[in-house]
Amino acid sequence: ETSYVKNKVKDPSLASWGRKEIELAEAEMPGLMSLRAEYGPSKPLAGARIAGCLHMTIQTAVLIETLIELGAEVTWSSCNIFSTQDHAAAAIAAAGTSVYAWKGMNEEEFNWCIEQTLFFGEERKPLNMILDDGGDLTNMVFDKYPELVAGIKGLSEETTTGVHRLYERMKNGTLPIPAININDSVTKSKFDNKYGCRESLVDAIRRATDVMMAGKVAVVCGYGDVGKGSADSLRNAGVRVIVTEIDPICALQAAMEGFEVKKLGTAIKEADIVVTATGNCNIVREEHFRALKDKAIVCNIGHFDNEIDMAWLNNAYGSTKIEIKPQVDKYTIDGSDVIVLAEGRLVNLGCATGHPSFVMSNSFTNQTLAQLELWTNTDKYENKVYTLPKHLDEKVARLHLAKIGVELEVLDQDQADYIGVPVEGPFKAEYYRY
Ligand code: NAI
């Protein structure tokens, strides 16, 4: 076991800048701030030692400080080597929390950082809660530190890809603790994945390349929640968008939205920009790289870096990589250039600052409610994957209405009886799809 390191960030002097941005973000995160007001005084998370592994951004800093305000001790690492905002990490370190995260770490450092979060303080007390995004922390605990599992009350998982891993474990009988699937709260996947990417995808491509978006042709691979937001992001910037899908329902949705739907092999020749959003592997491969126009931009907004065949680009074809600037690389394939962003890792966090605070407040209010639920009602949960009950999903949404001036109608008793719901909700059946 390694010796105790209190924290590790790129540059502690960035803390005051980080703190100023955290204060701005708080004003855009009404869900988290109202949980602080509601639960801060009673400290229901007292005794919880939450290890978190989630992009160490300004928004995440507000989540961390909410968990602390509710009584938890927290350690943190980032779930992607490029996604840390160094000023956010510095501010969290300066406030006394053990954070191990910096932008541009390597894989070995990435694992080292996660490992540091498992043990708290000089006494090296082990974690007793997991808050994860993508499952890397979860897998490290389950596979490498199984002796810690007995002391852990539960885990909450942020994203589609991590949630897939958990359901697989449940199916195989290898899920050793209760888990809450944050992603499939309506107020997460139908907001963060969709409206978040609608803001952050084009932002990332612009910051990385400054390319004129209007008039270009983009291919978006995958038309799930992230694909829907990504396609909209590009369309709103004046880009002509072509979608690829395997699922006839999502393909039909894309077509009804007015997007062309083609096979990647067909669309690739026209593409100025290719974005993968499938959560699947091997989407953009050799034959596609060879068919691309000169100076085409290729990037991924899914969780892992296996959507684009980086191994072929980096090794199999021969090394043609030239760094334009960090997270922007040029490769030359058969005489024409391909611009690859963030080495194929999720582009909105690698080349920009991820989603805006307001949408992340929805996701992180779900996260906080899940941690509260697992910590305070442990006995209610078996070693299964759960989603939060609908009344909490509705609560998350409700907490975000006033900030943007939304007025809600209120049912009278006759109306409530007529549609068969309680006056105060929940307003929809479980099978309703939004
Ligand atoms: P989803 O399951 O809603 O959508 C994925 C879509 O890709 C599905 O409709 C599926 O049919 C399609 N697909 C699968 N294989 C395909 C193939 N070979 N060709 C074309 N389409 C294919 O998942 P969601 O929520 O959209 O997430 C996608 C990825 O993005 C996941 O890895 C998730 O973890 C990640 N994510 C990233 C965020 C970010 O900020 N960058 C935010 C939220 C999620």
Side-chain angles (χ1 to χ4, degrees):
E1 200 179 300
T2 48
S3 61
Y4 176 56
V5 180
K6 168 88 176 146
N7 56 56
K8 190 161 161 53
V9 300
K10 174 100 96 221
D11 179 358
S13 76
L14 299 176
S16 70
W17 173 30
R19 179 53 53 191
K20 286 177 217 150
E21 287 209 354
I22 289 170
E23 281 163 15
L24 290 183
E26 286 172 351
E28 282 284 308
M29 304 187 86
L32 289 180
M33 299 313 276
S34 61
L35 291 188
R36 289 187 194 183
E38 184 177 350
Y39 294 108
S42 61
K43 307 268 179 262
L45 288 177
R49 286 187 299 278
I50 303 171
C53 181
L54 195 158
H55 312 292
M56 184 56 251
T57 63
I58 291 291
Q59 293 70 36
T60 300
V62 183
L63 168 62
I64 290 170
E65 296 194 331
T66 302
L67 297 169
I68 292 171
E69 176 82 22
L70 270 53
E73 280 181 78
V74 176
T75 57
W76 216 264
S77 64
S78 198
C79 61
N80 184 283
I81 62 171
F82 292 136
S83 64
T84 296
Q85 294 173 242
D86 289 317
H87 61 324
I92 288 300
T97 293
S98 286
V99 50
Y100 310 88
W102 58 96
K103 189 178 181 78
M105 56 176 55
N106 63 33
E107 299 273 357
E108 196 185 317
E109 292 165 332
F110 177 78
N111 288 317
W112 178 87
C113 287
I114 296 178
E115 217 151 10
Q116 303 315 301
T117 65
L118 305 182
F119 302 96
F120 286 55
E122 298 279 12
E123 315 86 56
R124 325 271 21 229
K125 284 196 193 150
L127 79 170
N128 55 26
M129 294 289 289
I130 293 174
L131 191 160
D132 209 355
D133 182 347
D136 289 330
L137 166 61
T138 302
N139 286 346
M140 180 176 291
V141 171
F142 290 177
D143 300 338
K144 204 171 161 200
Y145 291 87
E147 69 277 12
L148 297 182
V149 169
I152 302 175
K153 289 196 174 188
L155 77 90
S156 55
E157 167 55 53
E158 175 85 358
T159 199
T160 318
T161 287
V163 162
H164 283 162
R165 291 174 161 187
L166 291 175
Y167 283 107
E168 221 157 85
R169 281 189 185 270
M170 182 166 76
K171 203 177 78 195
N172 300 334
T174 58
L175 181 68
I177 55 175
I180 293 185
N181 163 358
I182 303 300
N183 186 66
D184 290 290
S185 287
V186 179
T187 49
K188 200 285 187 180
S189 48
K190 300 298 170 184
F191 290 83
D192 166 326
N193 305 28
K194 183 177 175 184
Y195 302 116
C197 292
R198 193 171 74 178
E199 306 256 344
S200 64
L201 173 62
V202 162
D203 180 26
I205 298 171
R206 285 202 167 118
R207 290 194 205 202
T209 67
D210 292 319
V211 80
M212 177 83 175
M213 301 297 295
K216 295 293 194 295
V217 174
V219 180
V220 174
C221 303
Y223 197 70
D225 294 316
V226 168
K228 287 177 174 75
S230 299
D232 264 353
S233 181
L234 293 158
R235 171 158 70 185
N236 291 344
V239 175
R240 183 156 64 86
V241 180
I242 306 171
V243 165
T244 74
E245 253 298 343
I246 51 160
D247 179 336
I249 297 176
C250 297
L252 189 59
Q253 282 181 311
M256 301 299 263
E257 279 296 325
F259 298 115
E260 276 184 78
V261 184
K262 300 282 179 203
K263 287 187 172 184
L264 185 55
T266 315
I268 196 82
K269 303 173 219 65
E270 284 188 75
D272 300 294
I273 300 164
V274 181
V275 183
T276 55
T278 67
N280 201 348
C281 57
N282 304 327
I283 302 301
V284 181
R285 305 178 301 266
E286 170 175 358
E287 66 260 37
H288 307 119
F289 290 125
R290 290 192 192 274
L292 276 170
K293 293 202 286 197
D294 186 43
K295 306 287 187 297
I297 296 164
V298 177
C299 60
N300 163 50
I301 195 163
H303 188 79
F304 282 120
D305 61 346
N306 53 358
E307 302 207 25
I308 300 169
D309 189 354
M310 294 303 299
W312 185 82
L313 273 184
N314 282 319
N315 309 315
Y317 183 81
S319 73
T320 65
K321 177 174 168 179
I322 291 175
E323 182 180 274
I324 309 284
K325 63 179 185 184
Q327 284 88 58
V328 181
D329 297 300
K330 187 181 79 168
Y331 293 82
T332 306
I333 306 300
D334 301 346
S336 59
D337 295 337
V338 182
I339 312 296
V340 178
L341 306 186
E343 297 180 12
R345 294 163 202 268
L346 75 188
V347 70
N348 56 332
L349 284 135
C351 294
T353 54
H355 298 341
S357 302
F358 187 76
V359 85
M360 293 316 295
S361 179
N362 286 269
S363 307
F364 290 166
T365 301
N366 280 290
Q367 278 284 8
T368 307
L369 290 171
Q371 289 286 321
L372 269 174
E373 190 57 27
L374 289 167
W375 181 252
T376 57
N377 289 318
T378 318
D379 296 343
K380 278 182 21 195
Y381 295 93
E382 298 169 48
N383 296 344
K384 292 181 177 168
V385 186
Y386 297 85
T387 50
L388 284 174
K390 193 166 289 290
H391 74 94
L392 290 180
D393 215 346
E394 290 182 358
K395 173 176 177 166
V396 173
R398 200 181 283 281
L399 293 175
H400 291 85
L401 300 180
K403 171 77 189 170
I404 52 174
V406 174
E407 291 180 18
L408 262 192
E409 296 284 4
V410 178
L411 289 172
D412 64 29
Q413 195 58 53
D414 284 348
Q415 291 176 313
D417 293 346
Y418 189 76
I419 60 170
V421 303
V423 167
E424 66 285 358
F427 299 100
K428 297 289 195 293
E430 281 308 318
Y431 53 76
Y432 187 79
R433 291 199 172 89
Y434 298 86

